[in-house]
Amino acid sequence: MTEHDAQPTADREQATAGEPQQAVQENGEQVSTDVTPAGAPEPAIPELVIISGMSGAGRSTAAKCLEDLGWFVVDNLPPALIPTMVELGARSQGNVARIAVVVDVRGRRFFDNLRESLADLESRAVTRRIVFLESSDDALVRRFESVRRPHPLQGDGRIVDGIAAERELLRELRGDADLVIDTSSLNVHELRAKMDAQFAGEEEPELRATVMSFGFKYGLPVDADLVADMRFLPNPHWVPELRPFTGLNEEVSAYVFNQPGAKEFLDRYAELLRLIATGYRREGKRYVTIAIGCTGGKHRSVAVSEKLAARLAAEGVETVVVHRDMGRE
């Protein structure tokens, strides 16, 4: 091979070392091989939801619900690969606009990787939300026993040992969650309904609120962000003609709000929630669960929850009302 024959090959080898490159055609014209057009728009960063929580609390069901809503769902993705997944979605030219990633935490290093990935996403200004699936120990034990499977962290111990270890590992992540869903008393269809209510809308609202009435004798809602106690008001249970009814009844509601302090509480608590809602929006928190309790969750808490939800809805907060314990007596 002559020196003349070898020169173009050397030029081609050198051309691979820099960007953009210039290719020389046979007619002597130079053509750029840079495939990125000048002035091309920046790739759109996908919306990201991270689904985590207790094993047995319904992570797979939540993921399937988002998949049915058109999300690109990745199950059990190592946390260190989450930023890479988002980057690949951004390169999809809009074909992957919403990504949901299911992660669990089974070791300290695994958890550290997740924290590093979340920090990386924040540095890139990626909008991400964390959905945390919670459940009581009793409910989780029943579910593991029903499928005759060990808890992934129980080792040589009992199911409750694995649950306790996982709960401790997830404590910090739960505190960072944007949405906590307690599935202790939910079936599959009810969990899907909750996910639909939060993610099925075409446009994302500024703030979504769940106002939940409950009875203290049945325990505090574990997914509550704010809790108010209505037991300072007289109990309609002790009024024979009101006892059979609930707080949805107009007579019961009128009785509750005719008591000293009831209307004042509603006015001041609604004012407090306006202040809190402003801070939530500023901090990017989109979901809040407000729990209103009384003794049995039948009269006072139900009546106040209905009035409070109406106030929030009138102020532009998308509101869902849940009466957790009504009908349990």
Side-chain angles (χ1 to χ4, degrees):
M1 181 172 61
T2 65
E3 181 180 352
H4 177 74
D5 294 329
Q7 186 62 40
T9 301
D11 290 340
R12 286 194 297 271
E13 291 174 351
Q14 293 176 359
T16 61
E19 293 289 348
Q21 305 299 339
Q22 300 294 328
V24 181
Q25 295 183 338
E26 291 183 358
N27 59 9
E29 295 180 355
Q30 290 185 332
V31 181
S32 175
T33 60
D34 187 1
V35 296
T36 304
E42 291 291 328
I45 299 177
E47 184 178 357
L48 175 66
V49 167
I50 297 173
I51 300 173
S52 189
M54 299 296 295
S55 299
R59 293 187 308 238
S60 297
T61 299
K64 289 177 182 177
C65 181
L66 289 185
E67 191 171 34
D68 292 342
L69 292 174
W71 290 67
F72 185 86
V73 178
V74 183
D75 199 358
N76 291 328
L77 182 72
L81 296 181
I82 294 177
T84 302
M85 190 72 233
V86 172
E87 184 178 348
L88 292 173
R91 295 179 184 176
S92 69
Q93 299 179 344
N95 292 323
V96 181
R98 298 185 298 177
I99 298 174
V101 176
V102 183
V103 298
D104 57 18
V105 181
R106 303 190 182 188
R108 174 53 56 185
R109 184 56 198 164
F110 199 79
F111 180 76
D112 291 342
N113 287 341
L114 178 58
R115 301 299 302 172
E116 292 169 4
S117 294
L118 293 178
D120 187 6
L121 294 171
E122 185 175 355
S123 68
R124 300 187 193 185
V126 175
T127 300
R128 56 89 178 149
R129 287 172 289 168
I130 299 175
V131 176
F132 191 95
L133 281 301
E134 173 68 277
S135 195
S136 68
D137 288 0
D138 289 344
L140 293 175
V141 169
R142 287 195 304 269
R143 291 169 190 173
F144 277 105
E145 288 181 343
S146 67
V147 296
R148 299 182 179 180
R149 294 181 58 190
H151 188 280
L153 293 185
Q154 76 179 74
D156 296 330
R158 300 174 301 161
I159 293 176
V160 291
D161 298 327
I163 292 173
E166 185 177 36
R167 201 177 294 282
E168 181 62 30
L169 283 172
L170 289 169
R171 188 180 303 278
E172 186 175 350
L173 181 62
R174 187 189 188 282
D176 290 339
D178 300 281
L179 175 63
V180 178
I181 300 177
D182 178 19
T183 67
S184 302
S185 59
L186 300 181
N187 59 36
V188 172
H189 305 293
E190 290 169 333
L191 175 55
R192 290 183 67 92
K194 278 185 171 286
M195 293 295 294
D196 284 341
Q198 300 294 345
F199 294 99
E202 291 296 327
E203 295 183 0
E204 194 69 29
E206 286 190 348
L207 182 65
R208 278 182 171 147
T210 297
V211 180
M212 177 188 298
S213 70
F214 73 97
F216 277 96
K217 70 179 183 179
Y218 300 114
L220 285 168
V222 298
D223 52 345
D225 297 296
L226 304 167
V227 178
D229 186 355
M230 296 298 101
R231 291 176 295 183
F232 72 93
L233 298 172
N235 192 348
H237 175 81
W238 304 114
V239 180
E241 59 268 27
L242 298 179
R243 182 180 301 176
F245 301 105
T246 71
L248 298 178
N249 179 271
E250 290 185 6
E251 293 182 2
V252 173
S253 182
Y255 175 86
V256 170
F257 282 98
N258 282 333
Q259 303 303 317
K263 293 179 181 178
E264 291 81 359
F265 168 82
L266 183 63
D267 292 339
R268 295 182 184 181
Y269 197 58
E271 183 178 356
L272 176 63
L273 291 178
R274 281 194 290 272
L275 176 65
I276 293 174
T278 300
Y280 278 167
R281 292 185 179 103
R282 184 172 57 247
E283 294 301 315
K285 183 175 175 64
R286 302 186 184 187
Y287 310 101
V288 59
T289 298
I290 305 163
I292 309 294
C294 63
T295 302
K298 179 180 179 180
H299 295 111
R300 294 164 290 181
S301 62
V302 172
V304 173
S305 294
E306 289 288 330
K307 293 287 188 182
L308 181 62
R311 289 276 189 101
L312 294 175
E315 295 177 8
V317 178
E318 187 172 325
T319 308
V320 176
V321 186
V322 177
H323 300 303
R324 190 191 74 174
D325 298 323
M326 191 174 68
R328 294 186 68 169
E329 291 186 346

